[in-house]
Amino acid sequence: MSPTAYPTIRIAACDLNGRMRGKRVPGRALAGMDKGVRMPFSALNVDLWGHDIENSPLVFETGDADGVLVPTGRGPVPMPWLDRPSALVPMTMRHESGRPFAGDPRAALEAVLARYAARGWEVVAATEMEFTLVDDSGETMLPVIDPHSGRRLAHGAVLSIQELDAFDAFFSDLYDGCEDMGIPADNIIAEAGVGQFEVTLTHQTALRAADDAWLFKALVQGLARKYKMAATFMAKPYMDDAGNGMHVHFSVLDSEGRNIFSDGGPKGTDLLASAVAGCLAAMPDSTLIFAPFGNSYDRLVPGAHAPTAAVWAYENRTAAIRIPGGPPVARRIEHRSAGGDVNPYLLLATVLGAGLVGIEDELTPPEPISGNAYAIADAPALAADWTGAIDRLEQSALMRRILPPDLIDYLVMTKRQECAVFGEMDPEKHWESLIETA
């Protein structure tokens, strides 16, 4: 379908929580989209429910000034979950001068990647996206109904072909939707949780990988609604079941396309070791990026297949940083700490920025661990709870080398406001706010 065939289009940028904020406009407006669309800067720095952040400098202090949304170059992409033909034009926020807005998560990732590019390097990345299909039609969130049996799922079914086939119509539409949107979906597996699945998005340039992850979330959640269920990326949908993660794999290519992490063998280069050291050094202070909500910390418990300590290893899935095996040319870092509820742009910016700091400072990591990472008593730990993670990010000099200081300030204010609102809510109802916003 040609762009002019869309009766309406959406223009949207990514806010601090990874949600789409923007406008619906008639399809004829697409022709003038390159000139930009005005929208308040504060719209990208609202809280989970879309409320202004109290005392934010982006609101009354500056008269709630407008920025300019400009296309990222990705769109228009179709929106297969809608009944009528519609398209989305992904946008990024700029000042009138064209300068990136410091509160735009996508701009933060672009800034990190520009530092790699200054060295003649390009980052390629892939993501593993976990989500849970649920029934949210009642007062509590329940496991989804198996389309074959008509009964609710009662158990996890890790790597079950039968469970994938039970939801064949949904997953077939998901593959088709990814194809239409240019999202490189690869393997789909049933995971360990009840109604939990994982989709691997194959390696792309890092910015494209973040774009893919952002669009993929919208696609999965939209398609689930067409099938009378909900899809959630909440870190911990059920307290007694597996949580959802978002693993990131990345490697770095030099100007001749060679992987700077590969030494031709299983160990990897000194640059790989330094990047690992940087990721480990930043991990405690960046916990809020990996675990942005109170529910996120229910996932970060020992023995629950979610790393809780800043350690690394070769081919060990209990470690926060894993160096997978396989051909040396594909040597890469897998960062395993993040929940499925993260902002993909902030996650990639933080992980890649931390790796670059390790290279810049020529850091050396500790020895890789072997065995069970949860059994290592003295390993540096991630922040233990939401408020502690907020404080650590605010006070971290290292993180201000990685992310724009203004973005950190906006994020800290946003998370403190969300924490206060959740504190006044019935904990049994928190899921209603998180199910499709996390």
Side-chain angles (χ1 to χ4, degrees), residues 162-237:
Q162 183 178 15
E163 184 142 313
L164 288 173
D165 289 347
F167 295 91
D168 175 68
F170 169 75
F171 285 115
S172 293
D173 276 358
L174 181 59
Y175 268 133
D176 289 345
C178 285
E179 183 71 21
D180 292 342
M181 296 177 73
I183 299 170
D186 194 12
N187 301 326
I188 300 178
I189 64 170
E191 266 288 358
V194 177
Q196 184 186 39
F197 300 91
E198 177 187 278
V199 180
T200 300
L201 306 185
T202 58
H203 281 81
Q204 303 270 15
T205 60
L207 187 60
R208 177 81 179 210
D211 288 339
D212 289 338
W214 185 57
L215 293 171
F216 179 80
K217 283 189 168 188
L219 173 62
V220 169
Q221 291 174 334
L223 285 180
R225 287 301 180 192
K226 293 190 73 171
Y227 284 88
K228 310 302 182 185
M229 53 189 177
T232 185
F233 291 85
M234 285 175 62
K236 196 72 168 177

Side-chain angles (χ1 to χ4, degrees), residues 279-296:
C279 289
L280 295 176
M283 198 171 289
D285 287 356
S286 55
T287 305
L288 184 64
I289 305 299
F290 312 140
F293 302 103
N295 173 265
S296 311

Side-chain angles (χ1 to χ4, degrees), residues 23 76 93 97 108 134 149 151 160 176 186 266 333 355 370 390 412:
K23 303 180 180 184
M93 184 73 85
S97 64
V134 301
S149 69
R151 296 186 294 274
S160 168
D176 289 345
D186 194 12
I333 292 172
S370 60
I390 296 170
V412 164

